Amino acid sequence: MNNNILIIVAHPDDAEFGMGGTISKLSKDNNITLCVLCRGNRPGSNPNVEKMRKKVLNENVESLGISKLIQHVYDDVSLDKHSHLSINNYVSSVISQIKPDIVFTNYSGDIHIDHELLSKAVRVACRPRPNCTVTELYEFSIPGSGEWNFKGINYNTFYNIEENIKIKYNCIDKYITEIQPAPDPTSSEYIKYRDLYYGSISGYKQAEPFICIFNKK
């Protein structure tokens, strides 16, 4: 069954780190749009980081089979400087434009403020009202951003990515500005352990975890 899927995230690399294997899996039979709210400039870091992340993002969009990329112009780590209304309006405009059946977004409990604020805006835009096309809404956590809230995450949905791990790890490894050395949760090594762990508790070899906010089907 072909679905119109929207993945809406705060930063370049969020989608690949959080659900790269699932994107590769779903793109085989579905139309996927990726919307990234922030530029990837990460104020205070390497002045070339925005250009580097955008280059990798565009390469990964093609590798993962994403049909369309929308990138907005917010600065990284700045969504709290914008009114919640303006973020809601932008997210709602994307939802209206794409008319997705299924939406994936950042986890509302991540310690990164951009993830948290985006998640709240997506929940507002995807409220299951009669004029909303969205029938399923899922959140996913970025390694480190979720675990480091030290509150636990009640995942209830797992995607088998056994056949999609190679492309996921290739995409992640290109983000040399984001990958950290082990034992950091954003290290290549520990992302692989994470996928194995969630596979082990869901009956697969490797899996990515999600929180289903609602499923109207």
Side-chain angles (χ1 to χ4, degrees):
M1 179 180 178
N2 290 350
N3 285 298
N4 198 18
I5 298 174
L6 172 63
I7 302 166
I8 183 163
V9 296
H11 311 107
D13 67 63
D14 281 357
E16 297 98 308
F17 275 70
M19 56 174 297
T22 300
I23 295 172
S24 176
K25 182 185 185 76
L26 294 178
S27 67
K28 303 273 192 303
D29 300 306
N30 301 281
N31 180 63
I32 298 181
T33 298
L34 173 62
C35 176
V36 181
L37 261 67
C38 297
R39 294 163 49 194
N41 55 337
R42 197 166 60 245
S45 63
N46 183 331
N48 294 320
V49 69
E50 177 181 354
K51 181 179 179 180
M52 296 168 71
R53 292 170 85 186
K54 282 185 175 180
K55 179 179 183 294
V56 173
L57 175 63
N58 281 285
E59 291 175 357
N60 288 349
V61 161
E62 182 174 352
S63 297
L64 291 170
I66 294 169
S67 305
K68 182 177 182 179
L69 171 65
I70 302 170
Q71 188 163 14
H72 200 44
V73 294
Y74 291 121
D75 289 325
D76 286 20
V77 202
S78 74
L79 293 189
D80 58 330
K81 296 179 174 63
H82 299 270
S83 72
H84 193 51
L85 178 61
S86 69
I87 299 172
N88 286 352
N89 286 343
Y90 178 71
V91 170
S92 294
S93 71
V94 173
I95 298 288
S96 297
Q97 173 191 344
I98 302 301
K99 295 180 172 53
D101 306 296
I102 302 170
V103 173
F104 292 87
T105 194
N106 291 108
Y107 170 48
S108 61
D110 273 1
I111 58 173
H112 198 308
I113 189 66
D114 289 348
H115 299 175
E116 176 187 353
L117 294 177
L118 172 59
S119 177
K120 290 179 178 178
V122 171
R123 289 197 189 202
V124 170
C126 293
R127 285 174 293 187
R129 288 175 167 167
N131 63 341
C132 184
T133 63
V134 180
T135 58
E136 300 177 48
L137 174 60
Y138 300 91
E139 294 181 355
F140 61 94
S141 180
I142 308 303
S145 291
E147 292 85 349
W148 280 344
N149 70 11
F150 298 108
K151 295 179 181 178
I153 308 174
N154 294 319
Y155 294 119
N156 55 21
T157 303
F158 301 87
Y159 274 87
N160 179 0
I161 60 166
E162 294 174 20
E163 298 180 1
N164 311 95
I165 54 170
K166 183 176 180 180
I167 188 168
K168 172 182 177 175
Y169 302 149
N170 285 343
C171 288
I172 288 173
D173 286 341
K174 293 179 185 178
Y175 281 112
I176 59 173
T177 60
E178 311 309 305
I179 288 286
Q180 298 294 321
D184 193 281
T186 60
S187 67
S188 296
E189 181 181 355
Y190 275 70
I191 289 172
K192 292 174 182 177
Y193 292 155
R194 183 180 191 262
D195 293 342
L196 287 166
Y197 170 73
Y198 286 113
S200 73
I201 64 173
S202 58
Y204 305 120
K205 186 174 180 181
Q206 290 100 351
E208 289 173 332
F210 299 84
I211 304 161
C212 178
I213 305 303
F214 66 78
N215 185 335
K216 294 170 61 178
K217 291 183 179 179

